[in-house]
Amino acid sequence: MSRNAGMTLSTLPQITAAARAALAPEVRDYLEGGAGDEWTLARNTAAFDEWAFRPRVLRGHGTPRLDTTFLGVDLSMPVIAGPLGADRLFHPDGQTAVARACARAGIASMAPEAGSFSLETLRAEAPTAVRFGQLHPTGSTDTFRRLLDRFVAAGFDAVVVTCDCPVGGWRERNLRNGFTPPQSTVGGNYPGDAATFASLFGTHRPGWDWDTVGTLLSDAGLPWLAKGILTVDDARAALDAGAGAIGVSNHGGRQLDGVPAALDALPAIAAAVGDRTRISFDGGIRRGSDVVKALALGADVVLLGRLAFHGLVVAGEIGVGAVLDLLRDEIVTIMTLLGRDSVRDLDADTVTYNASR
Ligand SMILES: Cc1cc2nc3c(=O)[nH]c(=O)nc-3n(C[C@H](O)[C@H](O)[C@H](O)COP(=O)(O)O)c2cc1C
């Protein structure tokens, strides 16, 4: 973290290791754990090792361009801090620190429905970064509509609809530890209203379908990202319902164990719908080479999950800033060595499958 005074960690793996070491065991398990046997969680990171780069030498014209846009939001690099709730479990400043670090880095962040701070607080904290509001199509349609109205009133640019969380996954580390995040860390959007929050993830829930989601979002008039898509069929269904972007994600392996690594699901979805929509990717991003591989396989932007929170744990806003600085520097170095001029030009020729590494 050479650019950040007071920090002595200078690589992303160091930051991840320091964060893991700093957390109490049950909080570490909550952050790092996945569902079931954690097969999907392990595949999410392992999948990146199955792709090798195909560098082109004596090409490229100077410093590669990292800037892009996603759902109308300008980004200095193709990275967004994804929606992660329970944020004050990890640092008192939680998502306010993430938002400020993203603003400094010229990228965006997403205000989570199940976060520690209200969406209005986050937006006020860093209006240039907090551009996306996230919610779940799970509780009553009234609750959903009220949150959408708040996104509109707060001036958000786009909405993230997390489609893969009708109920929390079967997370055995939390069962073993008897750990549930305290309401104070997840109820920032529903102060004094634990019942409404609880209704979001109960098993006795109203039926939701793409038509309902599409109609409510169309009424709100904001573009939306369908997050949690793993099949071409669902990508098409989301686009038919009016989604402006597809979020290839398995929720960091925390929901349904046994689904493919997010990276394994990406190429088929990109081949089927990539020419008519934008694609975000998340799941297992731990360093810059992961970002470049996801972009090569069809993503337009990646969402950071645990990696951003590793920086948060280590040093709040400064720690998240260090993660973003290191990520950017690594991406620039890799793009230069690959002979590629812009992240917008990365394509399947950039990588090859299963080369012996
Ligand atoms: C502690 C934690 C809380 C999360 N909370 C949410 C949430 O409230 N809404 C959501 O859509 N995804 C949530 N996610 C999933 C992330 O947005 C993202 O899909 C995932 O972390 C990506 O995988 P990675 O952490 O391996 O990069 C959460 C993930 C973690 C680790």
Side-chain angles (χ1 to χ4, degrees):
M1 298 191 183
S2 49
R3 290 197 223 148
N4 292 293
M7 303 292 305
T8 53
L9 303 172
S10 41
T11 69
L12 290 170
Q14 279 180 304
I15 293 175
T16 290
R20 288 176 177 160
L23 290 172
E26 68 278 11
V27 178
R28 178 171 60 235
D29 278 345
Y30 184 76
L31 179 64
E32 301 294 319
D37 285 328
E38 303 189 338
W39 180 83
T40 296
L41 175 71
R43 279 293 308 155
N44 265 3
T45 45
F48 287 95
D49 287 339
E50 290 162 14
W51 293 91
F53 287 123
R54 295 184 67 244
R56 300 296 311 277
V57 295
L58 290 173
R59 284 168 36 138
H61 305 89
T63 306
R65 290 191 59 178
L66 268 46
D67 61 290
T68 191
T69 64
F70 190 73
L71 289 180
V73 175
D74 292 332
L75 304 167
S76 69
M77 62 176 167
V79 172
I80 296 176
L84 274 72
D87 37 304
R88 289 194 74 188
L89 270 181
F90 309 106
H91 189 278
D93 296 343
Q95 287 282 2
T96 62
V98 175
R100 288 192 301 267
C102 287
R104 279 200 295 133
I107 66 165
S109 70
M110 296 173 165
E113 179 172 25
S116 310
F117 296 91
S118 73
L119 62 100
E120 292 85 358
T121 300
L122 293 177
R123 175 114 176 110
E125 191 72 37
T128 60
V130 186
R131 311 286 288 274
F132 298 84
Q134 177 267 331
L135 82 181
H136 302 85
T138 51
S140 74
T141 47
D142 277 350
T143 301
F144 189 93
R145 197 182 286 111
R146 275 198 294 274
L147 204 59
L148 282 180
D149 289 345
R150 286 170 64 187
F151 291 155
V152 173
F156 280 74
D157 295 67
V159 174
V160 181
V161 182
T162 297
C163 303
D164 59 3
C165 196
V167 63
W170 188 256
R171 302 181 195 162
E172 295 197 343
R173 295 199 210 194
N174 303 341
L175 292 171
R176 279 200 300 271
N177 294 332
F179 182 77
T180 313
Q183 180 65 19
S184 61
T185 66
V186 290
N189 281 303
Y190 301 101
D193 187 7
T196 299
F197 181 79
S199 75
L200 296 174
F201 305 111
T203 46
H204 302 289
R205 62 203 161 82
W208 277 84
D209 57 23
W210 286 113
D211 276 351
T212 311
V213 173
T215 303
L216 289 164
L217 266 297
S218 150
D219 291 349
L222 285 176
W224 54 285
L225 164 72
K227 176 176 181 278
I229 302 296
L230 291 172
T231 63
V232 169
D233 291 344
D234 274 347
R236 292 203 172 107
L239 293 177
D240 289 348
I246 298 299
V248 175
S249 169
N250 57 32
H251 215 107
R254 298 164 76 79
Q255 286 299 99
L256 181 59
D257 193 35
V259 299
L263 195 71
D264 288 339
L266 176 62
I269 294 172
V273 301
D275 58 347
R276 62 178 172 125
T277 192
R278 303 279 282 165
I279 295 178
S280 76
F281 170 89
D282 68 71
I285 297 282
R286 298 292 179 269
R287 53 159 62 255
S289 57
D290 300 337
V291 176
V292 176
K293 288 178 184 179
L295 297 176
L297 292 172
D300 295 296
V301 72
V302 305
L303 312 187
L304 298 185
R306 295 176 179 89
L307 181 61
F309 270 25
H310 293 155
L312 178 68
V313 168
V314 168
E317 178 185 346
I318 288 176
V320 180
V323 164
L324 299 178
D325 285 348
L326 288 166
L327 211 49
R328 185 192 309 276
D329 290 351
E330 189 185 339
I331 295 170
V332 166
T333 302
I334 290 171
M335 294 280 298
T336 307
L337 292 170
L338 284 170
R340 301 303 203 280
D341 284 330
S342 167
V343 291
R344 298 172 197 232
D345 303 333
L346 290 172
D347 57 18
D349 280 346
T350 315
V351 289
T352 182
Y353 187 65
N354 221 4
S356 50
R357 289 190 30 150

